[in-house]
Amino acid sequence: MEQNNDPLADPGQTAVSRAIAANVRAARTARGWSLEALATRSGLSKGALVGVEQGRGNPGVLTLARIADALGLPLTGLVDRAPAPLVEVVPAGAGTRLWQGEHGGHGDLLIGSDPPVSAELWRWTLAPGDAHVSAAHGAGVRELVTVLDGILTLVVAGEPVDVAAGACARFAADRAHTYRNDGANTARFVGVVLLPGRSDLG
């Protein structure tokens, strides 16, 4: 279930919402899909998709992930506001904030690559007590994380594993998973989401 603490929380959310609306509509129409077709493929209601394409509301990470997976795009394909140059540099402190924790943590989508090799680079900060709960992503999605500070408790399919600072982990993200900070210190980590190629996007 998508968490209520999953808004587009950065100050530029109006611009981000407009970019999402335009990008989703453009990707859908480029494939010749109706809203009903995208709803079927994404598992979302037509009403929710209408809201996204009109830039209304604040779609959460899970909603955006379902749309991106259905379209065969990385999340950056939905939130980017301009075509990527040959070399794209994301300045320090930049990125798109797509998750805000109850205790002050946050998740920022930094950059992504386009198909056929699709990946997303994320920067996460979890304050003590913060948890980001995610439903299973699409089939074949994998994630890599490296912990910079603190201890990340990674829960995959109900099994918790502690990942300390300096350590890395990889896991199947097509299962329900949670990033959690059970410690007394802030946990910071970088994650990469690897999306398999899609051959059924006619």
Side-chain angles (χ1 to χ4, degrees):
M1 177 179 295
E2 188 167 11
Q3 302 298 295
N4 290 332
N5 61 346
D6 221 11
L8 293 172
D10 67 297
Q13 94 176 36
T14 300
V16 172
S17 296
R18 286 199 300 267
I20 291 169
N23 290 334
V24 171
R25 187 165 51 249
R28 177 179 62 79
T29 55
R31 289 160 176 75
W33 295 355
S34 64
L35 280 165
E36 289 84 355
L38 181 55
T40 298
R41 288 173 178 259
S42 65
L44 299 170
S45 69
K46 180 180 175 182
L49 293 174
V50 168
V52 169
E53 289 198 3
Q54 292 181 352
R56 293 188 279 108
N58 299 319
V61 175
L62 179 56
T63 296
L64 295 178
R66 286 179 173 174
I67 295 171
D69 182 61
L71 293 168
L73 298 172
L75 272 179
T76 47
L78 301 187
V79 302
D80 281 348
R81 302 170 208 182
L86 184 61
V87 176
E88 182 177 2
V89 176
V90 177
T96 302
R97 183 148 300 168
L98 292 178
W99 177 79
Q100 187 77 39
E102 293 182 351
H103 303 282
H106 44 82
D108 299 327
L109 177 58
L110 300 179
I111 200 167
S113 63
D114 297 325
V117 181
S118 296
E120 301 163 1
L121 180 64
W122 289 75
R123 179 178 57 220
W124 294 88
T125 297
L126 298 183
D130 268 336
H132 175 266
V133 181
S134 179
H137 296 323
V141 175
R142 299 292 182 264
E143 291 192 24
L144 310 174
V145 298
T146 182
V147 179
L148 307 177
D149 298 295
I151 298 175
L152 166 66
T153 297
L154 179 62
V155 185
V156 180
E159 296 293 328
V161 176
D162 287 340
V163 187
C168 302
R170 62 183 177 190
F171 64 95
D174 52 5
R175 304 177 186 185
H177 54 280
T178 298
Y179 299 145
R180 198 171 71 201
N181 183 0
D182 296 336
N185 300 313
T186 298
R188 294 184 176 86
F189 62 100
V190 173
V192 177
V193 180
L194 303 171
L195 302 121
R198 295 287 298 273
S199 60
D200 61 340
L201 298 173

